[in-house]
Each structure stands twice: as C-alpha cells, then as structure tokens.
Amino acid sequence: MQLLLFGRLVTPLLNGDALDVAPGWLAADGSGHILGAGGGSPPRALRGFDVLDLRRFVAVPGFVDVHLHYPQIDVRGQGPTELLAWLTSTIFPAEEACADPRLARNRAARTFRALARNGVTTAAVFGSPHPAATDAAFAEARRSGLRIFLGMTMMDRNGPEALLQSRERNLDAARQLCRRWDKDARGRLRYIFSPRFAPACTFELLRDTARAARELDAPIQTHLAESPREVAWVRELFPGASSYTDVYRTAGLLTPATVLAHAVHLSDDEWALLRVSGAAVAHCPTANFALRSGVFDLSRAVREDLRFGLGSDVGAGPSFSPFDVMRHALYLAAIPPSDTLARATLGGAQALGVADRVGSLEVEKDADLVVLDPAAADANLDAPLESLLSALIRRSGSAAVAGVMARGDWVHTTPDLEH
Ligand code: GUN
Ligand code: ZN
C-alpha cells in the first residue's frame, strides 16, 4: 500500500539533529519503505496515495529493544533480587521448560505480540539453550512482522545439566540456525550468536563462538558485569584475565557487531577496552533496578561516546514497555526526554548496526512507527517537545500507544486510531 500519513512527527535524525513538525507528513511505498517525511505540504507526486489522517496524534519511530529473553516471559518480576540466586531458582527452571518446542513457540509468539503492542518494532532476543525451541521461535519472529535478532543461548558449564551442551553441539546448532534463518524475511531476521555469559561458558566456547560469528558475518550478544557477585565469580574462573571485559576481548568477542548487556561494574581499563573495540552496550535500567545489580554510568557512556541502546531485559526487567525503560533511564541520569527517546529508537538501531534501516523516520528506512495519543498522558498535542515527551514517558506509559506499524503494515491497532 502506498501511504501518506499526516500527524505531528517527532524523530531523531542520523545527522544528530531531531525533527519535530506539526503537522508533518510521511510517505511509504508499497514495500513498506519511507519515501519521504517532513513538514509543510507533501510533494505533488504523492497525490493518489492512501491518506491516513493522524493529526490528533504524534508519530515516533518504532522502538528498539536491544536486550530481552523470550523464554522468561512468564517469570518476569519473580524470584530473588540477586542475579546469581535468581538465575538458579527462577530462570534456569523456566528455560528448561523450553525443551518442549511447542511451549517455547507459544512463549515466543506472546513475546513478539507484547513487543508489538508496546511499540517495539526491532528487538535483540535471547532464546533458550535448545536448538528446536530457537527454530520454532524464529518461525514466530517471521510471522510477527518485526525486525528480530534472535539466538540460541549457549552454555557449556555451571548450569543445570538440562541446559548444558558440549562446545561442539553448541557450535553446530548455532551455525545451523544461522545458516537457516539469518537475513530471512527480506533481511528483517538476524541470527545473533548468544553465549550466555562468561561464567556459563568455557573459554574455548567463547573463543570458538567469536570465530563462528566472524566466519558467518553474524552479530554477537552476551552479558557483561551486571552484578558484583558475578564479577567476583569471573575473577575466580578466569584467574589469568585482567578483567571481565578482558575475558571477552581475549576470546575475540569484542567486535563492532557485539552487544553487551548491563556493563554496570567496569574499571577504567574496561571502559577503555569497550571504547577501542567498538562494541555496543544494552542499558537495562529496569532490570538493574529489579535485581539490585547497580547503576549503569550513563553520563560516562555519553561522555565517552559509547554506542548504547535501551533494553527491557525481560524477564529481569518486569515490563516490555519501552516507556517503563525510558522512565527509569530518565530518573537515573540527567538527560532530556528527547535524548531518552533517541536512545530508545536510533540509539538502539545504532547499537545493533541497523541504523541505515530503522531507528528514525527518514528516507529509505523501513516504515516502522508508533502512533501516540497525547490525550492518554493528559498532554496537549501542541505542547513544546520536551514537555510532551516528558508527559508521555513519565505519565502515560504504553497506554498512549494507539497504533504500531512495522515496514508499512499495522502490527497493532486500537479503536483510538479510528476516531
Ligand atoms: N546473566 C546471565 N544470564 C542472564 C539472564 O538470563 N538475565 C540477566 N539479567 N542476566 C543474565
Ligand atoms: Zn539478559
């Protein structure tokens, strides 16, 4: 469908600026790509397009959730408030249940629906350590219409037997899933190599995973320095390494195509390693809060020009809503609401290396957008930008989401949109 939409458009831009036009227009072609967007009158060439009058609403780019775990959907907000105890008591049993691919597929389907409902159109997702479950989850990712990075969680030590596989099996399964699914759905699906974290992986598994990802030109995700007990454990397990981050560096996992979740407890040397490697970070403020893990140094990340996006980290984070994540990010650091929105959209796209495709409402990108109703936040449509975004982020949360479009197709609509 060739689409011409009118409404207040708010979007970060690749050049570092932001666009805020009311009314603005956005046109999308039949394959769901943005033909143009701006203020004033649309070009004459767009006459004849199907018009969508959203002038009561604000359209922002689809949100990018750079870190979550679909197998954990039903244990969100449950269990102890310390990472290692929570993994053992709550998370590992939940993931063991994904030995049944049908159960896993159901969790994946509900996860992708929840993401869509909350305005998330791109996400990086950990699966369980089961190849069949990950395969089934990919089938649901394809059905969802969302842009999904998904990988089988890899572990070969320090977990329940049911979640461990030998290094060879881990690598064979991951390679096979990558060959089968990477770049499926016209490039909207990516296989992402997903070693759980250093304590659950032998050095050889970490090293060979980095190699496999390089050979297949695929991205990597893992966890880094989330909690103090975890960091102490890594020191014991890798006595020869100078730091947690150094373990990943030595294994070859620190690349510009790597996303590291949390990165809360880092030394100056580790910050330097991150900077030099070009790896990106997933800042997960709701999860860090829920597990009392510590506070990510967001001001330093901005100062050092680190690439980072925002992650819900479901199930450590209890909510799929990017508004909940943005609200926590806002409360933790003195950044303006417009910068918070930029982190939740373009920043996430940059962290995942897909800023040429999504993250902002700009020409040639996918028409991924969220239609927000300011009335749900008791805000005026014509309020100044920071005030409008502050109300949406701090007051209404996802209740303001009136519709969500992914590559030109609605993946979520509400009756609000019709009135
Ligand atoms: N570290 C290793 N595994 C996990 C996980 O599943 N969730 C979180 N939050 N941290 C982890
Ligand atoms: Zn996580």
Side-chain angles (χ1 to χ4, degrees):
M1 190 170 61
Q2 293 186 317
L3 192 74
L4 179 58
L5 166 163
F6 292 93
R8 180 167 177 179
L9 296 188
V10 172
T11 178
L13 297 172
L14 278 167
N15 67 9
D17 293 343
L19 179 74
D20 172 21
V21 281
W25 59 270
L26 178 145
D29 66 17
S31 59
H33 295 110
I34 297 174
L35 286 171
S41 311
R44 284 157 179 267
L46 299 176
R47 277 187 199 159
F49 278 39
D50 283 341
V51 168
L52 197 58
D53 183 355
L54 298 174
R55 274 176 289 192
R56 285 199 303 117
F57 299 95
V58 184
V60 299
F63 293 104
V64 179
D65 185 341
V66 295
H67 183 76
L68 72 142
H69 304 252
Y70 88 77
Q72 301 175 13
I73 180 173
D74 296 324
V75 289
R76 288 175 293 146
Q78 306 282 317
T81 53
E82 188 280 325
L83 173 68
L84 300 181
W86 170 78
L87 284 173
T88 305
S89 72
T90 307
I91 292 310
F92 292 159
E95 294 195 4
E96 281 178 42
C98 291
D100 174 0
R102 285 187 43 204
L103 177 146
R105 186 168 183 150
N106 172 276
R107 286 187 190 169
R110 286 186 290 116
T111 295
F112 298 135
R113 274 202 296 277
L115 291 171
R117 264 202 315 275
N118 283 285
V120 176
T121 52
T122 295
V125 185
F126 274 74
S128 71
H130 309 93
T134 310
D135 193 64
F138 260 113
E140 287 301 328
R142 180 203 258 160
R143 278 164 59 97
S144 73
L146 307 180
R147 183 178 281 272
I148 299 294
F149 291 66
L150 173 63
M152 180 190 77
T153 294
M154 303 163 97
M155 318 169 55
D156 68 346
R157 64 166 169 172
N158 292 327
E161 273 305 311
L163 295 183
L164 303 183
Q165 307 183 74
S166 69
R167 172 163 48 112
E168 293 75 18
R169 276 173 166 261
N170 264 298
L171 291 160
D172 284 351
R175 279 202 193 93
Q176 211 174 335
L177 285 161
C178 184
R179 292 204 180 95
R180 173 147 187 209
W181 289 105
D182 194 33
K183 306 208 171 89
D184 193 274
R186 289 193 285 147
R188 296 269 283 189
L189 300 187
R190 289 302 315 263
Y191 188 79
I192 183 163
F193 282 82
S194 308
R196 174 159 231 130
F197 66 161
C201 301
T202 56
F203 181 77
E204 291 72 24
L205 177 60
L206 297 175
R207 179 200 62 201
D208 292 354
T209 298
R211 248 179 229 160
R214 197 163 49 239
E215 277 163 24
L216 293 166
D217 198 19
I220 298 165
Q221 61 182 354
T222 189
H223 297 85
L224 171 67
E226 176 176 1
S227 87
R229 275 188 64 201
E230 172 204 9
V231 173
W233 195 18
V234 170
R235 211 173 293 130
E236 273 171 40
L237 291 169
F238 298 90
S242 60
S243 67
Y244 195 157
T245 307
D246 190 50
V247 172
Y248 290 155
R249 182 193 64 78
T250 318
L253 285 168
L254 294 190
T255 81
T258 302
V259 181
L260 303 157
H262 304 288
V264 169
H265 303 280
L266 300 179
S267 65
D268 288 348
D269 286 350
E270 290 179 280
W271 277 95
L273 284 181
L274 289 187
R275 202 173 40 244
V276 170
S277 71
V281 163
H283 172 33
C284 306
T286 50
N288 293 342
F289 192 68
L291 291 180
R292 305 164 62 86
S293 295
V295 177
F296 174 65
D297 195 342
L298 193 148
S299 311
R300 180 165 187 174
V302 171
R303 217 169 41 242
E304 301 208 4
D305 211 15
L306 188 76
R307 271 191 309 136
F308 72 95
L310 300 182
S312 66
D313 196 13
V314 160
S319 163
F320 284 102
S321 171
F323 291 90
D324 288 340
V325 177
M326 285 190 287
R327 190 167 64 249
H328 280 73
L330 257 184
Y331 284 145
L332 283 173
I335 54 171
S338 60
D339 285 357
T340 313
L341 177 75
R343 283 290 162 196
T345 53
L346 189 55
Q350 284 164 333
L352 293 173
V354 288
D356 58 332
R357 305 262 39 103
V358 294
S360 59
L361 303 176
E362 294 185 82
V363 179
E364 287 182 14
K365 291 200 182 189
D366 295 354
D368 286 1
L369 57 91
V370 184
V371 180
L372 298 171
D373 183 358
D378 293 317
N380 286 327
L381 179 61
D382 51 6
L385 183 64
E386 298 299 345
S387 157
L388 175 71
L389 292 179
S390 188
L392 286 165
I393 294 170
R394 287 192 241 233
R395 289 183 193 157
S396 67
S398 287
V401 175
V404 183
M405 189 176 275
R407 199 151 64 182
D409 289 324
W410 291 112
V411 290
H412 174 64
T413 53
T414 64
D416 279 358
L417 217 48
E418 330 273 287
H419 299 149

Short mmCIF file of all heavy atoms in Angstrom, two decimals, residues 183-237:
data_model
loop_
_atom_site.label_atom_id
_atom_site.label_comp_id
_atom_site.label_asym_id
_atom_site.label_seq_id
_atom_site.Cartn_x
_atom_site.Cartn_y
_atom_site.Cartn_z
N LYS A 183 19.06 -13.35 7.93
CA LYS A 183 18.62 -12.50 6.81
C LYS A 183 17.31 -12.98 6.16
O LYS A 183 16.95 -12.53 5.08
CB LYS A 183 19.71 -12.38 5.76
CG LYS A 183 21.04 -11.90 6.36
CD LYS A 183 21.86 -11.15 5.35
CE LYS A 183 23.06 -10.50 5.99
NZ LYS A 183 24.25 -11.31 6.05
N ASP A 184 16.60 -13.87 6.83
CA ASP A 184 15.28 -14.28 6.34
C ASP A 184 14.33 -13.07 6.44
O ASP A 184 14.68 -12.03 7.00
CB ASP A 184 14.78 -15.43 7.23
CG ASP A 184 13.58 -16.16 6.66
OD1 ASP A 184 12.45 -15.71 6.90
OD2 ASP A 184 13.79 -17.17 5.99
N ALA A 185 13.13 -13.22 5.89
CA ALA A 185 12.11 -12.16 5.92
C ALA A 185 12.66 -10.85 5.32
O ALA A 185 12.58 -9.80 5.95
CB ALA A 185 11.56 -11.95 7.33
N ARG A 186 13.19 -10.95 4.14
CA ARG A 186 13.77 -9.80 3.44
C ARG A 186 14.73 -9.04 4.37
O ARG A 186 14.73 -7.80 4.44
CB ARG A 186 12.69 -8.86 2.92
CG ARG A 186 11.91 -9.45 1.74
CD ARG A 186 11.07 -8.39 1.05
NE ARG A 186 9.89 -8.05 1.82
CZ ARG A 186 9.35 -6.84 1.86
NH1 ARG A 186 9.87 -5.85 1.18
NH2 ARG A 186 8.28 -6.61 2.58
N GLY A 187 15.53 -9.79 5.11
CA GLY A 187 16.57 -9.16 5.94
C GLY A 187 16.10 -8.74 7.32
O GLY A 187 16.91 -8.23 8.10
N ARG A 188 14.82 -8.95 7.64
CA ARG A 188 14.34 -8.49 8.95
C ARG A 188 14.74 -9.44 10.09
O ARG A 188 14.67 -9.07 11.25
CB ARG A 188 12.81 -8.32 8.95
CG ARG A 188 12.32 -7.25 7.98
CD ARG A 188 12.20 -5.88 8.62
NE ARG A 188 11.03 -5.75 9.45
CZ ARG A 188 10.64 -4.59 9.97
NH1 ARG A 188 11.33 -3.48 9.74
NH2 ARG A 188 9.58 -4.52 10.72
N LEU A 189 15.14 -10.66 9.77
CA LEU A 189 15.60 -11.58 10.81
C LEU A 189 17.12 -11.69 10.76
O LEU A 189 17.71 -11.76 9.69
CB LEU A 189 14.99 -12.97 10.62
CG LEU A 189 13.47 -13.08 10.65
CD1 LEU A 189 13.05 -14.55 10.61
CD2 LEU A 189 12.89 -12.42 11.89
N ARG A 190 17.73 -11.69 11.93
CA ARG A 190 19.17 -11.93 12.01
C ARG A 190 19.43 -13.02 13.04
O ARG A 190 18.79 -13.06 14.08
CB ARG A 190 19.94 -10.66 12.47
CG ARG A 190 20.05 -9.50 11.52
CD ARG A 190 20.70 -9.79 10.18
NE ARG A 190 21.93 -10.57 10.14
CZ ARG A 190 23.17 -10.08 10.09
NH1 ARG A 190 23.35 -8.76 10.09
NH2 ARG A 190 24.22 -10.87 10.02
N TYR A 191 20.38 -13.89 12.74
CA TYR A 191 20.84 -14.80 13.78
C TYR A 191 21.93 -14.07 14.56
O TYR A 191 22.83 -13.47 13.96
CB TYR A 191 21.39 -16.12 13.21
CG TYR A 191 21.67 -17.05 14.35
CD1 TYR A 191 20.62 -17.75 14.94
CD2 TYR A 191 22.94 -17.15 14.91
CE1 TYR A 191 20.84 -18.55 16.06
CE2 TYR A 191 23.16 -17.95 16.03
CZ TYR A 191 22.10 -18.64 16.60
OH TYR A 191 22.31 -19.40 17.72
N ILE A 192 21.82 -14.11 15.88
CA ILE A 192 22.83 -13.45 16.72
C ILE A 192 23.42 -14.48 17.67
O ILE A 192 22.71 -15.14 18.43
CB ILE A 192 22.23 -12.20 17.44
CG1 ILE A 192 23.30 -11.46 18.25
CG2 ILE A 192 21.02 -12.55 18.30
CD1 ILE A 192 22.89 -10.03 18.64
N PHE A 193 24.73 -14.69 17.56
CA PHE A 193 25.41 -15.66 18.43
C PHE A 193 25.30 -15.18 19.88
O PHE A 193 25.60 -14.01 20.16
CB PHE A 193 26.87 -15.85 18.00
CG PHE A 193 26.98 -16.75 16.79
CD1 PHE A 193 26.78 -16.25 15.51
CD2 PHE A 193 27.26 -18.10 16.94
CE1 PHE A 193 26.86 -17.08 14.39
CE2 PHE A 193 27.34 -18.95 15.83
CZ PHE A 193 27.14 -18.44 14.55
N SER A 194 24.88 -16.09 20.79
CA SER A 194 24.44 -15.67 22.12
C SER A 194 25.02 -16.50 23.26
O SER A 194 24.29 -17.19 23.99
CB SER A 194 22.90 -15.71 22.18
OG SER A 194 22.33 -15.00 21.10
N PRO A 195 26.36 -16.46 23.45
CA PRO A 195 26.90 -17.11 24.65
C PRO A 195 26.31 -16.42 25.88
O PRO A 195 26.26 -15.19 25.93
CB PRO A 195 28.41 -16.86 24.53
CG PRO A 195 28.57 -15.72 23.57
CD PRO A 195 27.37 -15.73 22.67
N ARG A 196 25.82 -17.20 26.88
CA ARG A 196 25.05 -16.59 27.98
C ARG A 196 25.85 -15.52 28.71
O ARG A 196 25.47 -14.36 28.74
CB ARG A 196 24.59 -17.66 28.95
CG ARG A 196 23.93 -17.11 30.16
CD ARG A 196 23.04 -18.08 30.90
NE ARG A 196 21.77 -17.41 31.09
CZ ARG A 196 20.59 -17.91 30.79
NH1 ARG A 196 20.48 -19.12 30.35
NH2 ARG A 196 19.50 -17.20 30.97
N PHE A 197 26.96 -15.91 29.31
CA PHE A 197 27.93 -15.01 29.95
C PHE A 197 29.14 -15.84 30.33
O PHE A 197 29.07 -17.08 30.33
CB PHE A 197 27.34 -14.19 31.10
CG PHE A 197 26.88 -14.90 32.35
CD1 PHE A 197 26.74 -14.19 33.55
CD2 PHE A 197 26.56 -16.26 32.36
CE1 PHE A 197 26.31 -14.82 34.71
CE2 PHE A 197 26.12 -16.89 33.52
CZ PHE A 197 25.99 -16.16 34.70
N ALA A 198 30.23 -15.19 30.66
CA ALA A 198 31.48 -15.90 30.89
C ALA A 198 31.36 -17.04 31.91
O ALA A 198 31.92 -18.12 31.69
CB ALA A 198 32.58 -14.92 31.28
N PRO A 199 30.64 -16.87 33.03
CA PRO A 199 30.58 -17.97 34.00
C PRO A 199 29.95 -19.25 33.45
O PRO A 199 30.27 -20.33 33.94
CB PRO A 199 29.73 -17.39 35.14
CG PRO A 199 29.89 -15.92 35.03
CD PRO A 199 30.02 -15.64 33.56
N ALA A 200 29.08 -19.15 32.45
CA ALA A 200 28.39 -20.34 31.94
C ALA A 200 29.06 -20.90 30.69
O ALA A 200 28.51 -21.81 30.06
CB ALA A 200 26.93 -20.02 31.67
N CYS A 201 30.21 -20.34 30.32
CA CYS A 201 30.87 -20.78 29.08
C CYS A 201 32.36 -21.01 29.36
O CYS A 201 33.00 -20.19 30.02
CB CYS A 201 30.75 -19.71 27.99
SG CYS A 201 29.06 -19.27 27.57
N THR A 202 32.89 -22.11 28.82
CA THR A 202 34.34 -22.29 28.89
C THR A 202 34.99 -21.27 27.96
O THR A 202 34.35 -20.76 27.02
CB THR A 202 34.75 -23.70 28.43
OG1 THR A 202 34.24 -23.89 27.10
CG2 THR A 202 34.19 -24.77 29.35
N PHE A 203 36.27 -21.00 28.23
CA PHE A 203 36.96 -20.04 27.36
C PHE A 203 36.93 -20.52 25.91
O PHE A 203 36.76 -19.73 24.98
CB PHE A 203 38.40 -19.83 27.82
CG PHE A 203 39.12 -18.84 26.95
CD1 PHE A 203 38.89 -17.48 27.11
CD2 PHE A 203 39.97 -19.26 25.94
CE1 PHE A 203 39.50 -16.56 26.27
CE2 PHE A 203 40.58 -18.35 25.10
CZ PHE A 203 40.35 -16.99 25.28
N GLU A 204 37.07 -21.84 25.73
CA GLU A 204 37.09 -22.39 24.37
C GLU A 204 35.76 -22.15 23.66
O GLU A 204 35.74 -21.86 22.46
CB GLU A 204 37.40 -23.90 24.41
CG GLU A 204 38.83 -24.24 24.85
CD GLU A 204 39.07 -24.01 26.35
OE1 GLU A 204 38.09 -24.03 27.14
OE2 GLU A 204 40.24 -23.78 26.74
N LEU A 205 34.67 -22.25 24.38
CA LEU A 205 33.36 -21.98 23.75
C LEU A 205 33.25 -20.50 23.35
O LEU A 205 32.80 -20.17 22.25
CB LEU A 205 32.20 -22.36 24.69
CG LEU A 205 30.80 -22.05 24.14
CD1 LEU A 205 30.53 -22.79 22.83
CD2 LEU A 205 29.71 -22.39 25.17
N LEU A 206 33.71 -19.63 24.24
CA LEU A 206 33.67 -18.19 23.91
C LEU A 206 34.51 -17.91 22.67
O LEU A 206 34.07 -17.23 21.74
CB LEU A 206 34.19 -17.36 25.09
CG LEU A 206 33.39 -17.42 26.40
CD1 LEU A 206 34.13 -16.64 27.49
CD2 LEU A 206 31.98 -16.88 26.22
N ARG A 207 35.70 -18.48 22.65
CA ARG A 207 36.63 -18.24 21.54
C ARG A 207 36.06 -18.78 20.22
O ARG A 207 36.07 -18.09 19.19
CB ARG A 207 37.96 -18.91 21.88
CG ARG A 207 39.04 -18.77 20.82
CD ARG A 207 40.11 -19.83 21.01
NE ARG A 207 39.55 -21.16 20.86
CZ ARG A 207 40.11 -22.28 21.33
NH1 ARG A 207 41.23 -22.25 21.99
NH2 ARG A 207 39.53 -23.46 21.14
N ASP A 208 35.54 -20.01 20.26
CA ASP A 208 35.04 -20.60 19.01
C ASP A 208 33.75 -19.93 18.55
O ASP A 208 33.44 -19.90 17.35
CB ASP A 208 34.84 -22.11 19.19
CG ASP A 208 36.18 -22.83 19.36
OD1 ASP A 208 37.23 -22.17 19.21
OD2 ASP A 208 36.18 -24.04 19.65
N THR A 209 32.99 -19.41 19.49
CA THR A 209 31.78 -18.68 19.12
C THR A 209 32.16 -17.39 18.37
O THR A 209 31.54 -17.05 17.35
CB THR A 209 30.96 -18.33 20.38
OG1 THR A 209 30.57 -19.54 21.01
CG2 THR A 209 29.72 -17.53 20.02
N ALA A 210 33.17 -16.72 18.88
CA ALA A 210 33.63 -15.50 18.19
C ALA A 210 34.07 -15.84 16.77
O ALA A 210 33.75 -15.12 15.82
CB ALA A 210 34.78 -14.86 18.98
N ARG A 211 34.77 -16.95 16.63
CA ARG A 211 35.23 -17.39 15.31
C ARG A 211 34.06 -17.68 14.37
O ARG A 211 34.05 -17.25 13.22
CB ARG A 211 36.04 -18.67 15.46
CG ARG A 211 37.49 -18.45 15.15
CD ARG A 211 38.27 -19.74 15.35
NE ARG A 211 39.42 -19.46 16.16
CZ ARG A 211 40.12 -20.34 16.84
NH1 ARG A 211 39.78 -21.62 16.82
NH2 ARG A 211 41.17 -19.97 17.52
N ALA A 212 33.08 -18.42 14.89
CA ALA A 212 31.93 -18.80 14.06
C ALA A 212 31.16 -17.54 13.62
O ALA A 212 30.74 -17.43 12.46
CB ALA A 212 31.01 -19.74 14.84
N ALA A 213 31.00 -16.60 14.53
CA ALA A 213 30.27 -15.37 14.19
C ALA A 213 31.02 -14.60 13.11
O ALA A 213 30.42 -14.05 12.18
CB ALA A 213 30.09 -14.51 15.44
N ARG A 214 32.34 -14.59 13.22
CA ARG A 214 33.15 -13.89 12.23
C ARG A 214 33.01 -14.58 10.86
O ARG A 214 32.78 -13.92 9.86
CB ARG A 214 34.61 -13.87 12.69
CG ARG A 214 35.47 -12.85 11.99
CD ARG A 214 36.77 -12.57 12.73
NE ARG A 214 37.48 -13.78 13.11
CZ ARG A 214 37.79 -14.11 14.37
NH1 ARG A 214 37.46 -13.33 15.36
NH2 ARG A 214 38.45 -15.23 14.63
N GLU A 215 33.11 -15.91 10.87
CA GLU A 215 33.01 -16.65 9.60
C GLU A 215 31.67 -16.43 8.91
O GLU A 215 31.59 -16.34 7.69
CB GLU A 215 33.16 -18.16 9.87
CG GLU A 215 34.59 -18.62 9.95
CD GLU A 215 34.69 -19.99 10.63
OE1 GLU A 215 33.69 -20.76 10.61
OE2 GLU A 215 35.75 -20.27 11.20
N LEU A 216 30.61 -16.37 9.73
CA LEU A 216 29.27 -16.26 9.15
C LEU A 216 28.80 -14.80 9.08
O LEU A 216 27.66 -14.52 8.73
CB LEU A 216 28.28 -17.10 9.95
CG LEU A 216 28.53 -18.61 9.84
CD1 LEU A 216 27.76 -19.39 10.89
CD2 LEU A 216 28.14 -19.10 8.44
N ASP A 217 29.68 -13.89 9.45
CA ASP A 217 29.37 -12.46 9.41
C ASP A 217 28.09 -12.14 10.18
O ASP A 217 27.21 -11.43 9.69
CB ASP A 217 29.23 -12.03 7.94
CG ASP A 217 29.36 -10.51 7.82
OD1 ASP A 217 29.89 -9.90 8.76
OD2 ASP A 217 28.90 -9.96 6.80
N ALA A 218 27.99 -12.72 11.38
CA ALA A 218 26.78 -12.55 12.20
C ALA A 218 27.13 -11.79 13.49
O ALA A 218 28.26 -11.84 13.95
CB ALA A 218 26.20 -13.92 12.54
N PRO A 219 26.15 -11.10 14.05
CA PRO A 219 26.39 -10.36 15.30
C PRO A 219 26.47 -11.27 16.53
O PRO A 219 26.21 -12.47 16.44
CB PRO A 219 25.18 -9.42 15.38
CG PRO A 219 24.11 -10.09 14.59
CD PRO A 219 24.79 -10.92 13.53
N ILE A 220 26.82 -10.67 17.66
CA ILE A 220 27.04 -11.40 18.92
C ILE A 220 26.36 -10.63 20.05
O ILE A 220 26.39 -9.40 20.06
CB ILE A 220 28.55 -11.47 19.24
CG1 ILE A 220 29.31 -12.24 18.15
CG2 ILE A 220 28.80 -12.09 20.61
CD1 ILE A 220 30.83 -12.05 18.20
N GLN A 221 25.77 -11.36 21.00
CA GLN A 221 25.27 -10.71 22.22
C GLN A 221 25.65 -11.56 23.42
O GLN A 221 25.69 -12.78 23.34
CB GLN A 221 23.76 -10.50 22.16
CG GLN A 221 22.94 -11.79 22.03
CD GLN A 221 21.43 -11.56 21.94
OE1 GLN A 221 20.96 -10.43 22.08
NE2 GLN A 221 20.68 -12.62 21.69
N THR A 222 25.94 -10.89 24.52
CA THR A 222 26.18 -11.61 25.78
C THR A 222 25.95 -10.64 26.93
O THR A 222 25.49 -9.51 26.72
CB THR A 222 27.59 -12.23 25.80
OG1 THR A 222 27.70 -13.08 26.96
CG2 THR A 222 28.70 -11.20 25.82
N HIS A 223 26.21 -11.11 28.16
CA HIS A 223 26.07 -10.24 29.34
C HIS A 223 27.45 -9.89 29.87
O HIS A 223 28.36 -10.71 29.81
CB HIS A 223 25.30 -10.96 30.45
CG HIS A 223 23.88 -11.33 30.08
ND1 HIS A 223 23.57 -12.48 29.41
CD2 HIS A 223 22.72 -10.68 30.30
CE1 HIS A 223 22.25 -12.54 29.23
NE2 HIS A 223 21.71 -11.46 29.76
N LEU A 224 27.57 -8.71 30.42
CA LEU A 224 28.86 -8.26 30.96
C LEU A 224 28.66 -7.49 32.27
O LEU A 224 27.89 -6.51 32.31
CB LEU A 224 29.56 -7.34 29.95
CG LEU A 224 30.82 -6.60 30.45
CD1 LEU A 224 31.95 -7.58 30.73
CD2 LEU A 224 31.26 -5.55 29.44
N ALA A 225 29.36 -7.94 33.33
CA ALA A 225 29.49 -7.17 34.57
C ALA A 225 28.18 -6.56 35.04
O ALA A 225 28.07 -5.36 35.25
CB ALA A 225 30.54 -6.06 34.37
N GLU A 226 27.21 -7.46 35.27
CA GLU A 226 25.89 -6.99 35.71
C GLU A 226 25.85 -6.85 37.23
O GLU A 226 25.32 -5.86 37.74
CB GLU A 226 24.85 -8.01 35.21
CG GLU A 226 23.41 -7.75 35.65
CD GLU A 226 22.45 -8.77 35.03
OE1 GLU A 226 22.93 -9.67 34.30
OE2 GLU A 226 21.24 -8.65 35.27
N SER A 227 26.41 -7.84 37.95
CA SER A 227 26.30 -7.78 39.42
C SER A 227 27.67 -8.01 40.07
O SER A 227 28.54 -8.66 39.48
CB SER A 227 25.31 -8.83 39.92
OG SER A 227 25.96 -10.07 40.14
N PRO A 228 27.85 -7.52 41.29
CA PRO A 228 29.14 -7.68 41.97
C PRO A 228 29.53 -9.15 42.18
O PRO A 228 30.68 -9.53 41.99
CB PRO A 228 28.91 -6.97 43.32
CG PRO A 228 27.79 -6.01 43.07
CD PRO A 228 26.92 -6.66 42.04
N ARG A 229 28.56 -10.01 42.57
CA ARG A 229 28.90 -11.43 42.77
C ARG A 229 29.33 -12.09 41.47
O ARG A 229 30.22 -12.94 41.46
CB ARG A 229 27.69 -12.18 43.35
CG ARG A 229 27.61 -12.10 44.87
CD ARG A 229 26.51 -13.02 45.40
NE ARG A 229 26.77 -14.43 45.15
CZ ARG A 229 25.82 -15.38 45.14
NH1 ARG A 229 24.56 -15.06 45.36
NH2 ARG A 229 26.14 -16.63 44.91
N GLU A 230 28.69 -11.72 40.40
CA GLU A 230 29.04 -12.27 39.08
C GLU A 230 30.48 -11.87 38.71
O GLU A 230 31.28 -12.69 38.26
CB GLU A 230 28.05 -11.72 38.04
CG GLU A 230 28.37 -12.02 36.60
CD GLU A 230 27.74 -11.00 35.64
OE1 GLU A 230 27.20 -9.98 36.14
OE2 GLU A 230 27.81 -11.20 34.42
N VAL A 231 30.81 -10.61 38.95
CA VAL A 231 32.15 -10.13 38.61
C VAL A 231 33.20 -10.87 39.44
O VAL A 231 34.24 -11.30 38.90
CB VAL A 231 32.26 -8.59 38.84
CG1 VAL A 231 33.69 -8.11 38.67
CG2 VAL A 231 31.32 -7.85 37.90
N ALA A 232 32.92 -11.09 40.72
CA ALA A 232 33.87 -11.81 41.58
C ALA A 232 34.04 -13.25 41.09
O ALA A 232 35.15 -13.80 41.11
CB ALA A 232 33.36 -11.80 43.03
N TRP A 233 32.95 -13.84 40.64
CA TRP A 233 32.99 -15.23 40.15
C TRP A 233 33.85 -15.32 38.88
O TRP A 233 34.65 -16.24 38.72
CB TRP A 233 31.56 -15.71 39.88
CG TRP A 233 31.40 -17.18 39.72
CD1 TRP A 233 32.29 -18.15 40.11
CD2 TRP A 233 30.29 -17.85 39.13
NE1 TRP A 233 31.79 -19.39 39.81
CE2 TRP A 233 30.56 -19.24 39.20
CE3 TRP A 233 29.09 -17.42 38.56
CZ2 TRP A 233 29.66 -20.20 38.71
CZ3 TRP A 233 28.20 -18.37 38.08
CH2 TRP A 233 28.49 -19.75 38.15
N VAL A 234 33.72 -14.36 38.01
CA VAL A 234 34.52 -14.36 36.77
C VAL A 234 36.01 -14.25 37.11
O VAL A 234 36.85 -14.90 36.50
CB VAL A 234 34.08 -13.22 35.82
CG1 VAL A 234 35.05 -13.06 34.66
CG2 VAL A 234 32.66 -13.48 35.31
N ARG A 235 36.32 -13.47 38.14
CA ARG A 235 37.72 -13.33 38.56
C ARG A 235 38.27 -14.69 38.99
O ARG A 235 39.40 -15.06 38.66
CB ARG A 235 37.80 -12.31 39.71
CG ARG A 235 39.11 -11.54 39.73
CD ARG A 235 39.12 -10.42 40.77
NE ARG A 235 38.19 -9.34 40.48
CZ ARG A 235 37.30 -8.83 41.35
NH1 ARG A 235 37.21 -9.32 42.58
NH2 ARG A 235 36.51 -7.85 41.00
N GLU A 236 37.44 -15.47 39.72
CA GLU A 236 37.87 -16.81 40.14
C GLU A 236 38.01 -17.77 38.97
O GLU A 236 38.94 -18.56 38.89
CB GLU A 236 36.80 -17.42 41.06
CG GLU A 236 36.95 -17.10 42.51
CD GLU A 236 35.70 -17.59 43.26
OE1 GLU A 236 35.18 -18.69 42.96
OE2 GLU A 236 35.24 -16.84 44.14
N LEU A 237 37.04 -17.70 38.03
CA LEU A 237 37.00 -18.66 36.92
C LEU A 237 38.08 -18.39 35.88
O LEU A 237 38.50 -19.28 35.17
CB LEU A 237 35.62 -18.62 36.24
CG LEU A 237 34.43 -19.17 37.03
CD1 LEU A 237 33.11 -18.82 36.33
CD2 LEU A 237 34.55 -20.70 37.19
#
